[in-house]
Amino acid sequence: MNRELLRQLIHASGVFVVVLSYLIPVKALIIICLALLVFLVLIFRWDRYIHIPIFSPILRYCKRSEDEMGSIYFFLGIIITLFIFQANLEVANAAILILLFGDSASTLVGKRWGKVKLPFQENKTLEGSLAFLLVGFIASLTQLTMIPALSGALSGALTEAYSPLDDNLTIPLVAGLVISLVVYYL
């Protein structure tokens, strides 16, 4: 299996958070995500010194040499999003789905078919951003009506393309904020 495809499938597997949000209280879900974050940090540290069955082969195959913090920011983004938007779970879930599926689509499409570079961003493509917008919009429609879903996907796509911070942290926060504002003003 292609290394990047496996990375993005693992990224999209975070959908378990949205599924669990319908089964358990949000505070319990946040605690579970915090525990997973601690577990992940420990696995990363231990993997440097010992072989950990199941985890080490996956980590060593999927790891980008320049980025070990992406998965930590991924869980932090989800945890903070759940905490901030826990009063409106549809907003939190939509923002998380935009991160999970929009970001994965942009990476896969951008790397495979991306030709047109975005202005001021040499590593991002128009094709990847359009894939983010489309897939993020479709994913967020499972939680929201059309206008908030589109605004969340659009803000997520722009954040993915231009955020100076790790997009795993910023995408769900920006998308959740924009969705909240649109819902409030509609």
Side-chain angles (χ1 to χ4, degrees), residues 70-91:
S71 29
I72 293 169
Y73 287 129
F74 173 80
F75 272 105
L76 283 175
I78 289 173
I79 291 164
I80 295 168
T81 300
L82 285 169
F83 181 78
I84 291 173
F85 302 106
Q86 63 185 303
N88 191 339
L89 205 50
E90 290 79 19
V91 170

Side-chain angles (χ1 to χ4, degrees), residues 1 28 50 56 59 87-88 101 122 137 139 148 151 157 163 178 183 186:
M1 177 180 284
I50 61 171
S56 289
L59 283 175
N88 191 339
F101 295 107
E122 64 185 51
F137 173 61
S151 65
S163 177
V178 169
V183 167
L186 285 181

Side-chain angles (χ1 to χ4, degrees), residues 9-87:
L9 286 173
I10 292 169
H11 196 269
S13 73
V15 74
F16 80 90
V17 173
V18 175
V19 172
L20 284 178
S21 74
Y22 289 103
L23 304 173
I24 63 175
V26 176
K27 288 181 181 15
L29 184 55
I30 290 170
I31 291 169
I32 290 170
C33 289
L34 282 168
L36 286 170
L37 176 60
V38 169
F39 177 74
L40 185 65
V41 169
L42 290 174
I43 291 293
F44 278 150
R45 296 229 187 263
W46 292 338
D47 183 57
R48 291 180 187 160
Y49 306 107
I50 61 171
H51 177 81
I52 305 164
I54 299 172
F55 295 103
S56 289
I58 293 171
L59 283 175
R60 292 174 186 170
Y61 181 73
C62 292
K63 184 176 159 188
R64 289 180 182 154
S65 59
E66 77 279 358
D67 178 29
E68 188 175 282
M69 294 295 292
S71 29
I72 293 169
Y73 287 129
F74 173 80
F75 272 105
L76 283 175
I78 289 173
I79 291 164
I80 295 168
T81 300
L82 285 169
F83 181 78
I84 291 173
F85 302 106
Q86 63 185 303

Side-chain angles (χ1 to χ4, degrees), residues 146-157:
M146 189 172 294
I147 301 297
L150 183 59
S151 65
L154 180 60
S155 64

